[in-house]
Amino acid sequence: STSILEDIFLKRSQQKKKTSPLNYKERLFVLTTDKISYYDYDYEKGKKKGLKGSVDIDKIKYVATVVQEENAHPDKMFPFQVVYDEGPLYIFAKTADIRKQWIHKLKQIVTHNKDLAQKYHPCFWVDGQWLCCHQEVKQALGCRVIET
Ligand code: 4IP
Ligand code: ZN
């Protein structure tokens, strides 16, 4: 399907395994009506290389900004989260406007998803806990009601 939005963002590793490193990679994100995919990007050729991962739109539970961490690096000023059954995918936009545009579009696309969340975590999951509510289980229910 055709792409709705494309942008190069920094993303945090999802740490699907307990032993996965916490790191950040620049990826080309492509949003279509059924998937959000991210690719390795070749700056010299100005085109995308291999597919690194994707999230099916119908698995998404909510999309929201994330409260930025104190003393956040300038590259990490505008985080947003795409939460699905595997947990949160943290993405960092370069500007507030681009972040707003992606969240707006994503919310539109997921409107009719089953099992949309009613609560979320406004802050990051770091070092085995949610910075917002200090719960120590990644799957813990959100601590803030989503305003619609
Ligand atoms: C990788 O670290 C990359 O950050 C991956 O991101 C990430 O996968 C891996 O997390 C993480 O271990 P190294 O490159 O140092 O191995 P990308 O796929 O963008 O390259 P995600 O799941 O975030 O795509 P795990 O938890 O998937 O292993
Ligand atoms: Zn919380």
Side-chain angles (χ1 to χ4, degrees):
S1 45
T2 55
S3 89
I4 296 165
L5 288 174
E6 283 192 26
D7 264 296
I8 295 167
F9 293 132
L10 203 61
K11 64 167 276 288
R12 201 178 99 170
S13 54
Q14 294 181 68
Q15 297 182 284
K16 291 177 178 167
K17 288 158 277 168
K18 281 240 164 75
T19 51
S20 298
L22 174 57
N23 58 30
Y24 298 85
K25 307 267 174 174
E26 217 160 39
R27 300 291 177 224
L28 174 72
F29 279 79
V30 177
L31 175 65
T32 63
T33 47
D34 57 314
K35 266 182 219 288
I36 172 165
S37 309
Y38 47 96
Y39 300 84
D40 200 2
Y41 186 74
D42 185 331
Y43 276 96
E44 282 173 12
K45 293 188 176 149
K47 64 177 188 188
K48 63 183 188 228
K49 294 201 284 187
L51 176 69
K52 287 295 185 177
S54 67
V55 176
D56 290 336
I57 294 298
D58 59 11
K59 301 232 170 81
I60 296 174
K61 305 247 182 287
Y62 64 88
V63 181
T65 59
V66 188
V67 176
Q68 77 194 79
E69 286 186 273
E70 268 177 59
N71 309 313
H73 186 273
D75 287 346
K76 302 195 185 98
M77 296 304 274
F78 305 105
F80 63 103
Q81 49 182 324
V82 174
V83 179
Y84 64 112
D85 41 13
E86 302 241 29
L89 168 59
Y90 294 123
I91 305 169
F92 300 82
K94 287 193 172 66
T95 68
D97 273 358
I98 294 172
R99 174 173 70 174
K100 201 172 160 185
Q101 186 189 20
W102 273 75
I103 291 175
H104 182 78
K105 209 26 114 181
L106 278 162
K107 280 186 170 170
Q108 261 178 14
I109 298 177
V110 306
T111 325
H112 300 295
N113 277 7
K114 286 178 192 155
D115 308 319
L116 280 174
Q118 264 126 45
K119 287 178 163 188
Y120 78 115
H121 295 285
C123 303
F124 287 102
W125 167 260
V126 185
D127 291 335
Q129 66 162 318
W130 291 102
L131 294 181
C132 32
C133 54
H134 308 290
Q135 294 187 87
E136 291 174 354
V137 180
K138 203 174 182 181
Q139 303 301 329
L141 263 193
C143 58
R144 191 79 48 91
V145 175
I146 293 169
E147 295 131 42
T148 44

